């Protein structure tokens, strides 16, 4: 069955639905939404009422347990209050200690965020020297560019005489000359 | 992105197809409830047509279309714009049609389906041969399993490419090809009379 024939056949057979007015449609959608919302609210209320009724029924069916609890003695309340006060003080102290620790951690992080400028400068110099040595190495691998490599190594020694890369350059120059 | 620009028909006409949807969505998120009315106005015909096709040209699609836009209204604030609004609504329509079919099965309303199947089509063509052929084709598509019908509708009637169908149905492109092939194989014996080789 050719694909295009099937497409034509299906398109010819296609029918349009009766479409209602968009305003009516929107009104219907909003009505449904409100109805659904009401239904959900009703279900929640009914569920809560049922749960409360059930708990009431269960507690009234078993009055002995209620009687077992008995009245609360004033002495017990006072003891409990003092225990709660001690607990609250403990929590307060713990919170303060944690806050102080967090403050110290933030201060360390702030200090770490600003590195020593001299160390940073040294790092940048080392990186520049390394780049030059890397380039010189590339030149030295090409017989045509040997002179260029030697010049580059000398430049490293001249510009960064105290860096470790200057030592590397010196070693390479010795190797090339031997 | 102002709400006012959406209300200006000249501005809207000058924008590409997806732009007004983006503006309407932004307006809705900003609290303009009337933007939803405009979205419905722009898309309801397309949604109704797709739902009608997916349900096998049977029954009243108003309920399904209302369900589609109700779902859209609930989710519109969470729509992140990763696809176009039109594609998003197509996905909702497909899912709503699936739910609708499932509900029909659960309610055992087969008699309603049969009654609806017998309802005459609105705007039926005058040509008797064409009418008969169309009726036969629709019946053949209705007889397909829902999943096969979905790919047939999306590929041949909605003219969607395989990759897009795969995204809409959340399956691989390979699975779409397989479903298409299977659907064609199922349609073939029913439509040989009407298709020229």
């Amino acid at each position: 069955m050719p694909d295009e024939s099937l497409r034509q056949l299906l398109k010819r057979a296609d029918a349009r639905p009766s479409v209602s007015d968009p305003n009516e449609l929107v009104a219907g959608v909003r009505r449904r939404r409100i109805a659904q919302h009401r239904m959900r609210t009703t279900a929640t209320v009914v569920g809560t009422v049922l749960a409360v009724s059930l708990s009431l029924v269960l507690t009234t069916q078993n009055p002995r347990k209620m009687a077992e609890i008995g009245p609360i003695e004033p002495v017990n309340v006072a003891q409990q209050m003092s225990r709660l006060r001690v607990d609250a003080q403990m929590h307060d102290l713990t919170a303060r200690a944690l806050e102080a620790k967090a403050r110290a951690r933030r201060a360390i992080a702030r200090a770490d965020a600003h590195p020593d400028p001299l160390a940073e400068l040294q790092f940048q110099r080392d990186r520049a020297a390394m780049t030059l040595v890397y380039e010189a190495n590339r030149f030295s691998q090409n017989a045509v560019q040997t002179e260029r490599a030697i010049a580059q190594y000398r430049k490293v020694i001249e510009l960064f005489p105290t860096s470790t890369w200057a030592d590397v350059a010196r070693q390479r120059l010795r190797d090339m000359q031997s | 992105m102002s709400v006012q620009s959406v209300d200006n028909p000249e501005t809207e006409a000058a924008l590409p197809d997806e732009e007004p949807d983006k503006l309407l969505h932004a307006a809705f998120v900003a609290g303009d409830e009337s933007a939803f009315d405009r979205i419905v106005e722009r898309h309801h015909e397309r949604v109704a047509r797709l739902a009608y096709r997916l349900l096998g040209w049977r029954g009243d699609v108003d309920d399904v279309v209302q369900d589609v836009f109700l779902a859209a209204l609930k989710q519109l604030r969470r729509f992140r714009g990763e696809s176009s609004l039109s594609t998003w609504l197509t996905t909702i329509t497909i899912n709503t049609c699936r739910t609708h079919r499932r509900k029909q099965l659960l309610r055992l309303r087969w008699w309603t389906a049969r009654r609806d199947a017998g309802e005459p089509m609105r705007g039926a063509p005058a040509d008797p041969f064409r009418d008969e052929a169309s009726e036969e084709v629709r019946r053949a598509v209705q007889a397909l399993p829902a999943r096969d019908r979905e790919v047939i509708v999306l590929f041949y009637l909605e003219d969607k490419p395989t990759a897009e169908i795969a995204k809409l149905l959340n399956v691989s492109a390979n699975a779409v090809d397989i479903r298409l092939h299977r659907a064609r194989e199922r349609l073939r014996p029913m439509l040989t009379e009407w298709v020229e080789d």
Side-chain angles (χ1 to χ4, degrees):
Chain A
M1 182 160 50
D3 217 33
E4 205 39 49
S5 305
L6 180 59
R7 190 185 294 274
Q8 292 304 322
L9 200 62
L10 286 165
K11 291 224 164 165
R12 272 207 303 272
D14 189 22
R16 282 179 168 274
S18 55
V19 182
S20 54
D21 179 50
N23 293 330
E24 276 177 33
L25 189 61
V26 171
V29 169
R30 293 224 157 94
R31 268 199 305 276
R32 273 195 193 193
R33 197 188 189 190
I34 292 165
Q36 277 189 0
H37 184 70
R38 275 190 193 145
M39 204 180 283
R40 252 202 310 271
T41 314
T42 313
T44 312
V45 170
V46 169
T48 314
V49 168
L50 276 175
V52 170
S53 315
L54 195 68
S55 64
L56 277 174
V57 167
L58 286 174
T59 46
T60 49
Q61 268 181 355
N62 202 353
R64 231 175 50 195
K65 273 190 180 172
M66 292 291 282
E68 275 171 13
I69 295 168
I72 302 164
E73 290 175 28
V75 182
N76 290 348
V77 172
Q79 276 178 356
Q80 208 157 347
M81 283 298 286
S82 69
R83 210 177 301 138
L84 284 171
R85 207 169 292 126
V86 170
D87 275 357
Q89 279 169 357
M90 289 287 287
H91 286 311
D92 186 40
L93 286 171
T94 314
R96 282 181 195 194
L98 285 171
E99 206 180 328
K101 205 172 174 184
R103 259 204 310 273
R105 209 176 294 143
R106 278 199 298 273
I108 292 167
R110 267 201 303 276
D112 286 349
H114 301 290
D116 179 15
L118 285 174
E120 179 66 16
L121 188 68
Q122 185 58 39
F123 173 74
Q124 294 295 346
R125 283 169 64 84
D126 273 354
R127 201 155 67 172
M130 186 200 75
T131 312
L132 286 174
V133 170
Y134 177 79
E135 269 187 359
N137 283 350
R138 270 192 24 230
F139 295 144
S140 68
Q141 280 160 13
N142 190 344
V144 184
Q145 292 184 312
T146 314
E147 288 302 316
R148 212 170 160 192
I150 291 169
Q152 192 89 329
Y153 285 131
R154 282 188 181 142
K155 202 171 170 186
V156 174
I157 295 162
E158 188 189 335
L159 290 174
F160 312 104
T162 54
S163 77
T164 50
W165 295 104
D167 295 340
V168 173
R170 283 188 201 101
Q171 182 60 43
R172 294 273 154 83
L173 279 174
R174 273 197 296 276
D175 292 347
M176 284 174 85
Q177 281 156 8
S178 61
Chain B
M1 201 181 283
S2 68
V3 179
Q4 281 75 15
S5 62
V6 176
D7 294 333
N8 182 354
E10 279 177 24
T11 315
E12 194 173 318
L15 291 164
D17 198 37
E18 280 179 20
E19 285 305 305
D21 283 345
K22 283 183 184 168
L23 294 176
L24 288 169
H25 174 242
F28 182 80
V29 172
D32 179 7
E33 287 278 324
S34 70
F36 178 73
D37 301 18
R38 301 286 305 280
I39 289 173
V40 173
E41 203 179 305
R42 279 172 61 78
H43 293 278
H44 79 287
E45 277 188 33
R46 200 180 55 79
V47 166
R49 202 178 57 226
L50 174 63
Y52 199 42
R53 286 165 171 173
L54 288 172
L55 295 173
W57 299 281
R58 281 182 292 203
D60 187 7
V61 287
D62 270 1
D63 258 8
V64 180
V65 176
Q66 276 197 13
D67 281 344
V68 169
F69 284 109
L70 180 61
L73 180 61
K74 284 183 195 164
Q75 305 286 330
L76 199 55
R77 278 181 213 285
R78 273 177 272 167
F79 173 61
R80 284 173 296 177
E82 283 167 358
S83 62
S84 67
L85 195 71
S86 162
T87 308
W88 184 65
L89 284 171
T90 305
T91 312
I92 296 179
T93 310
I94 292 167
N95 290 332
T96 309
C97 286
R98 284 177 181 174
T99 313
H100 183 78
R101 279 195 303 265
R102 222 172 294 141
K103 274 186 192 165
Q104 276 192 326
L105 282 173
L106 285 172
R107 287 175 192 166
L108 297 172
R109 287 173 63 181
W110 61 272
W111 57 85
T112 315
R114 284 183 63 174
R115 186 195 64 203
D116 291 344
E119 279 178 3
M121 295 282 178
R122 186 170 293 201
D127 179 1
F129 170 78
R130 194 181 149 185
D131 191 23
E132 193 189 342
S134 300
E135 193 59 47
E136 201 63 43
V137 172
R138 282 196 291 262
R139 219 171 286 142
V141 177
Q142 281 163 12
L144 289 175
R147 276 161 187 261
D148 291 354
R149 188 161 66 231
E150 278 172 3
V151 288
I152 287 287
V153 165
L154 292 171
F155 187 76
Y156 289 110
L157 296 173
E158 297 284 324
D159 294 318
K160 303 251 183 240
T162 315
E164 198 181 332
I165 298 173
K167 262 189 196 165
L168 287 169
L169 300 179
N170 200 18
V171 294
S172 67
N174 219 6
V176 173
D177 284 336
I178 291 167
R179 281 186 201 175
L180 260 178
H181 175 75
R182 196 174 52 198
R184 276 192 217 107
E185 288 301 304
R186 280 183 168 141
L187 283 175
R188 191 201 300 272
M190 294 185 265
L191 301 179
T192 39
E193 195 184 335
W194 312 104
V195 178
E196 295 162 15
D197 285 324

